[in-house]
């Protein structure tokens, strides 16, 4: 892809992170950070003069930082230092699992992620909402520069298109929907008579509730630390809502309890489940943990009448899905190649426009200096005439420079040569302009 040019700085496009294929899911979850710490991370990253943009994509299955930076080594080192600091000492053990991608490889990876190719379940839809959230958080932190904003918007657009136009996203086989299928198997019957409690009102919690409801289950409870968020989701399903203080009642009444939060700690303990079992009259209980780090005490799996399903249980099914959708993935990869080329064309075109602006600015400075030297700087007629002369002289030249933006390989080299030939300034500024 070459370097991304922002304002008057050459930018390198970088992706640093790991996912379920390369690391234990517990470590992936620990690196993900909660929303507040993600904001701190983004703000501290772009406070570094060499880093112009940062977006953090954090899900149950992956934690990735996308950066635009002048110096790859500095950016990589700074990102790792901050991740270790904010994720805690435990994150040190998995540092070797961090994968660093540069330039075209990094951009291709982003498109593969939003298209669902890199997901545990190929073609799942949740990642689109998670990528949108990542971009929004970056914008709120003042960390989204033009290159990252454009890259994410194009990646999201392609992700939507391939799901509608290919069979990759057919059936919405998300992590949540696979968990629903496993629950149906555990209950030994269809889900029409099953009551479900969902703990967590975020993207994954909403998707879990939708998936259960689509299979005929009754969403009985939606719980969340923020009761207002729980009420909003519950209203969509005619469910009761509440905070964490209602968890005991939900455990006693529901047949399935699905948990999907970013609390980063155990919310359902073995003792709490054991207490709830005493009032269930022998009814079985299925616990579903969609969170990382885990929110359900693993010791609950040893209690009589309890089955604990975790996200790790999906890996085998995900591999089968990947094999079945191989032909679709190959088709999507061809579309990704085209999108990468279009992004590169946009980048070089933007570079060309910047060169034209700088050339015209330089010519205007020279014009004003000459007028001042001859004592006619205040002569309005002379000012209009010389301004028109500069525009006429640079019109065709400017159009030729802009045309270089249509040739991504040779154009980049020519633009660099023009900057050097005319000694155009290269200022160290951070522009967060709109794409």
């Amino acid at each position: 892809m070459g370097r991304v040019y922002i304002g008057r700085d050459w930018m390198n496009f970088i992706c640093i992170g790991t996912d379920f294929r390369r690391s234990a899911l517990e470590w992936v979850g620990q690196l993900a950070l909660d929303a507040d710490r993600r904001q701190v991370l983004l703000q501290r990253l772009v406070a570094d003069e060499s880093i112009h943009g940062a977006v953090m994509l954090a899900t149950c299955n992956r934690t990735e930082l996308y950066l635009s930076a002048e110096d790859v080594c500095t950016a990589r080192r700074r990102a790792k230092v901050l991740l270790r600091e904010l994720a805690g000492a435990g994150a040190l053990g998995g540092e070797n699992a961090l994968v660093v991608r540069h330039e075209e490889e990094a951009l291709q990876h982003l498109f593969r992620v939003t298209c669902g190719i890199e997901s545990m379940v190929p073609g799942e839809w949740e990642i689109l909402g998670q990528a949108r959230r990542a971009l929004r958080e970056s914008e709120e932190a003042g960390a989204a520069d033009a290159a990252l904003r454009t890259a994410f918007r194009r990646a999201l657009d392609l992700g939507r298109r391939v799901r509608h136009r290919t069979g990759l996203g057919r059936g919405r086989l998300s992590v949540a929907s696979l968990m629903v299928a496993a629950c149906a198997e555990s209950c030994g019957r269809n889900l029409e008579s099953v009551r479900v409690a969902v703990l967590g009102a975020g993207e994954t919690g909403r998707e879990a509730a939708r998936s259960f409801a689509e299979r005929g289950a009754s969403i009985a409870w939606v719980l969340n630390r923020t009761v207002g968020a729980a009420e909003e989701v519950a209203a969509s399903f005619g469910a009761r809502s509440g905070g964490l203080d209602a968890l005991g009642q939900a455990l006693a009444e529901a047949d399935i309890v699905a948990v999907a939060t970013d609390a980063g700690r155990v919310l359902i303990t073995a003792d709490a489940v054991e207490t709830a079992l005493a009032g269930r009259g022998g009814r079985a209980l299925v616990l579903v943990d969609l969170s990382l780090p885990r929110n359900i005490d693993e010791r609950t799996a040893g209690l009589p009448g309890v089955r604990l399903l975790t996200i790790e249980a999906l890996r085998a099914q995900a591999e089968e899905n990947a094999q079945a959708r191989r032909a679709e993935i190959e088709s999507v990869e061809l579309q990704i190649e085209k999108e990468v080329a279009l992004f590169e064309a946009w980048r070089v075109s933007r570079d060309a426009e910047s060169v034209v602006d700088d050339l015209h600015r330089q010519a205007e400075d020279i014009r004003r200096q000459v007028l001042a030297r001859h004592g006619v700087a205040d002569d309005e007629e002379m000012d209009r005439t010389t301004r028109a002369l500069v525009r006429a002289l640079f019109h065709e030249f400017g159009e030729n420079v802009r045309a270089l933006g249509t040739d991504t390989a040779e154009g980049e080299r020519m633009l660099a040569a023009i900057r050097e030939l005319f000694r155009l300034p290269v200022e160290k500024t951070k522009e967060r302009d709109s794409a």
Side-chain angles (χ1 to χ4, degrees), residues 56-133:
M56 185 175 195
L57 178 58
T59 75
C60 291
N61 297 321
R62 70 182 60 257
T63 297
E64 294 171 343
L65 271 172
Y66 292 86
L67 306 172
S68 59
E70 298 171 39
D71 184 271
V72 173
C73 293
T74 299
R76 182 172 55 198
R77 183 168 58 250
R78 182 63 174 155
K80 287 185 176 181
V81 167
L82 288 175
L83 277 174
R84 288 198 300 269
E85 178 183 334
L86 293 170
L92 290 171
E95 183 180 350
N96 291 334
L98 286 175
V99 177
V100 182
R101 298 176 175 88
H102 305 102
E103 315 300 355
E104 185 174 346
E105 182 186 9
L107 186 65
Q108 285 179 336
H109 180 72
L110 171 60
F111 279 92
R112 288 176 62 86
V113 168
T114 59
C115 287
I117 294 177
E118 295 291 334
S119 295
M120 184 179 287
V121 180
E124 53 93 5
W125 287 76
E126 290 173 86
I127 189 62
L128 289 176
Q130 292 160 340
R132 278 194 297 270
R133 182 195 67 187

Side-chain angles (χ1 to χ4, degrees), residues 39 42 54-55 132-145 149 153:
Q39 287 284 300
L42 294 172
V55 177
R132 278 194 297 270
R133 182 195 67 187
L135 178 58
R136 183 176 65 250
E137 288 181 352
S138 176
E139 291 174 333
E140 291 171 352
D145 66 349
R149 190 182 297 115
R153 286 174 178 172

Side-chain angles (χ1 to χ4, degrees), residues 15 23-24 52 78 87 152 157 178 206 209 254-255 268 288 294 307 341 363 365 369 372 387-388 423 430:
C15 173
S23 305
H52 284 222
R78 182 63 174 155
F152 265 78
D157 181 64
L178 282 180
R206 289 170 184 265
D255 301 298
I268 298 180
V288 182
R294 290 186 185 179
R307 182 177 181 186
D365 290 342
Q369 291 169 13
R387 192 184 297 275
R423 297 181 180 179
K430 286 190 176 185

Side-chain angles (χ1 to χ4, degrees), residues 344 348 404 406-414:
E344 177 71 353
V348 177
L404 293 175
T406 63
D407 185 340
T408 59
E410 183 62 23
E412 183 174 311
R413 289 191 289 272
M414 291 291 289

